[in-house]
Amino acid sequence: MRRIEMIVLGITLVSALGVCAADTFRAGASKGNITPELGGKIVGGFKPFPATHVHDDLWVRALVLDDGKTRVAFAVCDLIGISQDVSDMARRLVQEETGLSAGNMLVSAVHTHSATSARGNRELFAVNPEMDAYQIFVARRIADAVRCAINNLAPARIGWGTASEPRHVFNRRWFMKPGTVPMTPLGGTNDVVQFNPGYLNPNLVKPAGPTDPEICFFAVQTPEGKPVALFANYSLHYVGGVRGADISADYYGMFNDRIQQLLGADRQDTPFISILSNGTSGDINNIDFSKSPQKLPPYAKMRIVADDVAEKVHAAYRELAWRDHVTLGAAFGEIELQLRRPTPEQLEYAKAFLAEQTESSKPKPMQMVYAKRIMEHNRVPATWKFPLQAFRIGDVGIASIPFEVFSEIGLEFKRRAPFKPSFTVELANGCYGYLPPPRQHALGGYETWLGSNRVETEASTKIVDRLLDMLTRLQKGE
Ligand SMILES: [Zn+2]
């Protein structure tokens, strides 16, 4: 072979290899322990109490995908919520330390009610808030888990699918017989619906909204077919039923454990990572109020739910078509929304309530919480910017919303999304209260009260339109 031909052949080979390497689809996953110290306050209810036992550890679970051009990261924390500062700090650290764009990384919380708070002890719309020690710890651990996932990047193939588990999702808001909805802690009621009305309440009429029984998921495995990671999404608030003041990742942790077992992915050298994110479950819980309560020991119910959801995912997993390469895309945006203000009547009620509370007053934790939130909303700025994200994973569309989102919003997004399947990860990059659609605002109930919900009535319509626009642009490759 002449020298010139050898050089040409060499260049061709190098560029061919180069194209191949640049086009290789890779995945990596990892997790980091975020279990808090005992004594921290468990924040699931209106009266926080100190944690006295760890039933199962809390984790941040991270998955990184790379199509050779675009890299995206997902980090889901076993927490009830994370403040935007924690997500901002974690994403900034990852960007500084790895070069991965902060906008290509999603940080969300599952919404276990048996965890301490990573939301900080301050007003929600404070400017330049100070983070507490646990928030800083969690942000660092999120960043470390994503860094380790990047370290684990290796050639992979990907598949996705959907399953359905309708037996464990119930709309917790009910239409009640006229005149039977109790007074609100805001000093009055025009509510037509009641949340968590109680088992076999004789005034039950019918649920006030739908449920979304779909489980969407995507999974990555090695080119030889060994499971690497799985990312699933189900729209269930949480299950609960822990013992006493335990810390636990609720059914999310049990699902991850069970699917790993079903996939035969235990004790791998690079551990298999399962992630169950929360979908749109702001009005969905695990309780059928039309029936008598089941008497079950602690942790039994969440185990049942976790096993059932895992088995549905496992059945769908076995039917997956695996792809050696897919296109990834990510978009980050902010949406400016009006913050709600109290009415003059609400303000007067809150002031009077707070003024009459003394050391010896009978504690009224719910009224106290709402009176303080009314006063807080009298001081908030007129508008606030909220983070939104859209991702494309092959033919899968993912949206992120920093609220507890009602199921009908998620269903509408799925219906209109340009990618099938598509789903929403709620409580992502922040935690700003409930997000009911306008129709549910009109019906009232706990999730619509000022302080449960903090943004304008039309917020969900604007958010869904914006997310669909972001996804459409990703589809066009813009
Ligand atoms: Zn909750």
Side-chain angles (χ1 to χ4, degrees):
M1 199 183 288
R2 282 185 306 174
R3 187 179 149 79
I4 186 77
E5 282 175 349
M6 283 177 71
I7 290 168
V8 169
L9 180 65
I11 290 168
T12 311
L13 268 175
V14 166
S15 60
L17 286 170
V19 168
C20 175
D23 265 359
T24 303
F25 182 79
R26 293 185 300 157
S30 189
K31 66 178 183 178
N33 192 313
I34 55 168
T35 307
E37 295 169 15
L38 292 181
K41 295 281 179 69
I42 290 185
V43 286
F46 281 95
K47 227 176 147 192
F49 49 88
T52 57
H53 181 70
V54 179
H55 174 269
D56 54 279
D57 276 316
L58 308 184
W59 299 89
V60 49
R61 297 160 186 276
L63 171 60
V64 175
L65 304 175
D66 190 315
D67 70 358
K69 293 190 184 74
T70 303
R71 183 175 288 183
V72 298
F74 302 94
V76 178
C77 305
D78 292 330
L79 293 167
I80 194 164
I82 44 157
S83 67
Q84 192 178 339
D85 340 318
V86 173
S87 168
D88 286 351
M89 180 178 168
R91 293 183 302 113
R92 178 174 52 75
L93 288 170
V94 170
Q95 181 167 317
E96 285 169 5
E97 293 163 7
T98 74
L100 171 64
S101 166
N104 285 23
M105 180 176 158
L106 178 153
V107 178
S108 80
V110 295
H111 204 67
T112 170
H113 273 225
S114 38
T116 62
S117 175
R119 295 180 293 186
N121 186 22
R122 58 174 181 79
E123 291 189 358
L124 200 48
F125 300 104
V127 180
N128 299 324
E130 252 182 46
M131 290 165 70
D132 65 32
Y134 185 58
Q135 288 183 296
I136 293 167
F137 168 75
V138 169
R140 183 67 260 177
R141 296 300 286 163
I142 294 168
D144 289 355
V146 173
R147 280 182 63 177
C148 292
I150 291 171
N151 294 339
N152 285 337
L153 278 171
R157 51 188 198 170
I158 184 164
W160 53 81
T162 61
S164 181
E165 181 45 277
R167 292 173 297 173
H168 296 306
V169 282
F170 299 92
N171 198 296
R172 70 183 190 181
R173 288 163 52 81
W174 283 72
F175 286 109
M176 306 297 285
K177 288 182 185 161
T180 65
V181 178
M183 289 272 281
T184 77
L186 305 145
T189 191
N190 294 312
D191 290 355
V192 178
V193 307
Q194 186 178 349
F195 108 114
N196 289 344
Y199 286 102
L200 297 173
N201 185 323
N203 300 316
L204 293 177
V205 177
K206 62 175 184 180
T211 62
D212 178 1
E214 190 176 59
I215 312 155
C216 286
F217 70 97
F218 62 89
V220 280
Q221 55 174 223
T222 66
E224 297 75 37
K226 202 160 86 171
V228 171
L230 179 136
F231 187 103
N233 180 269
Y234 187 49
S235 294
L236 171 59
H237 199 70
Y238 76 112
V239 175
V242 299
R243 184 185 297 108
D246 286 9
I247 283 172
S248 168
D250 203 270
Y251 90 103
Y252 308 94
M254 290 182 180
F255 167 87
N256 293 327
D257 184 54
R258 179 74 174 139
I259 194 73
Q260 174 174 307
Q261 182 189 29
L262 290 171
L263 294 176
D266 292 341
R267 293 177 297 279
Q268 295 182 175
D269 281 342
T270 303
F272 170 79
I273 301 292
S274 169
I275 303 174
L276 179 58
S277 60
N278 203 327
T280 50
S281 66
D283 53 347
I284 304 302
N285 68 11
N286 186 235
I287 304 169
D288 184 354
F289 289 112
S290 70
K291 297 202 174 109
S292 308
Q294 292 171 284
K295 291 235 169 5
L296 291 168
Y299 296 103
K301 192 65 194 292
M302 59 173 84
R303 179 77 69 189
I304 292 168
V305 175
D307 285 357
D308 286 346
V309 175
E311 273 156 33
K312 291 293 175 70
V313 171
H314 184 229
Y317 185 98
R318 283 182 298 201
E319 306 298 321
L320 292 186
W322 294 95
R323 293 158 175 86
D324 294 328
H325 191 275
V326 294
T327 301
L328 303 175
F332 186 94
E334 287 184 317
I335 188 163
E336 189 162 8
L337 299 169
Q338 285 173 34
L339 298 184
R340 281 174 68 179
R341 292 275 183 170
T343 62
E345 295 76 33
Q346 286 171 337
L347 200 55
E348 208 173 296
Y349 176 85
K351 279 182 184 163
F353 174 83
L354 292 169
E356 76 194 20
Q357 299 307 302
T358 61
E359 293 276 305
S360 56
S361 300
K362 187 167 165 269
K364 294 176 178 167
M366 187 109 156
Q367 280 96 327
M368 183 59 93
V369 164
Y370 279 91
K372 285 182 176 168
R373 288 181 183 176
I374 287 170
M375 300 308 293
E376 180 191 340
H377 269 262
N378 198 39
R379 304 186 281 272
V380 294
T383 63
W384 195 261
K385 286 181 181 162
F386 298 89
L388 299 178
Q389 279 174 305
F391 292 90
R392 172 191 185 168
I393 312 291
D395 294 340
V396 181
I398 304 173
S400 92
I401 300 181
F403 294 92
E404 292 181 68
V405 184
F406 273 40
S407 57
E408 61 195 79
I409 299 169
L411 288 167
E412 187 197 337
F413 171 76
K414 286 181 175 185
R415 207 161 43 235
R416 292 169 59 195
F419 295 100
K420 306 286 176 208
S422 284
F423 61 87
T424 303
V425 178
E426 71 170 16
L427 289 170
N429 306 313
C431 178
Y432 290 101
Y434 285 97
L435 186 68
R439 186 179 83 86
Q440 295 287 343
H441 268 291
L443 301 175
Y446 162 74
E447 300 87 347
T448 70
W449 298 342
L450 175 61
S452 298
N453 165 267
R454 296 165 179 279
V455 290
E456 56 182 291
T457 311
E458 295 296 319
S460 73
T461 312
K462 295 179 182 179
I463 288 171
V464 170
D465 285 348
R466 179 70 182 279
L467 286 167
L468 290 169
D469 182 55
M470 287 162 75
L471 265 190
T472 304
R473 285 166 187 272
L474 287 179
Q475 191 189 34
K476 290 180 186 160
E478 287 174 18

